[in-house]
């Protein structure tokens, strides 16, 4: 795979609120692919929650 086509990956636990949520937002805004985990999965699918 061509390394110029890959993006960094961030794994974030607790992404439905608090520090985990803020970290996931920052990583997403900076071009990272995300793998997130959250107990409150509905919060992850709310409009605007991952923007």
């Amino acid at each position: 795979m061509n390394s110029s086509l890959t993006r960094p990956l961030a794994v974030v636990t607790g992404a439905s609120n608090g520090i985990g949520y803020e970290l996931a937002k920052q990583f997403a805004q900076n071009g990272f692919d995300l793998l997130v985990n959250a107990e409150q999965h509905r919060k992850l699918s709310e409009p605007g929650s991952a923007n």
Side-chain angles (χ1 to χ4, degrees):
M1 180 180 249
N2 185 347
S3 63
S4 67
L5 298 178
T6 61
R7 299 187 321 180
L9 173 67
V11 178
V12 181
T13 61
S16 60
N17 58 43
I19 294 170
Y21 174 77
E22 293 300 324
L23 284 171
K25 273 192 350 185
Q26 290 298 313
F27 284 128
Q29 291 171 352
N30 286 287
F32 282 67
D33 285 331
L34 294 174
L35 174 63
V36 297
N37 176 279
E39 285 186 22
Q40 299 174 9
H41 63 87
R42 291 179 191 193
K43 283 190 172 187
L44 292 177
S45 62
E46 289 177 0
S49 65
N51 294 329

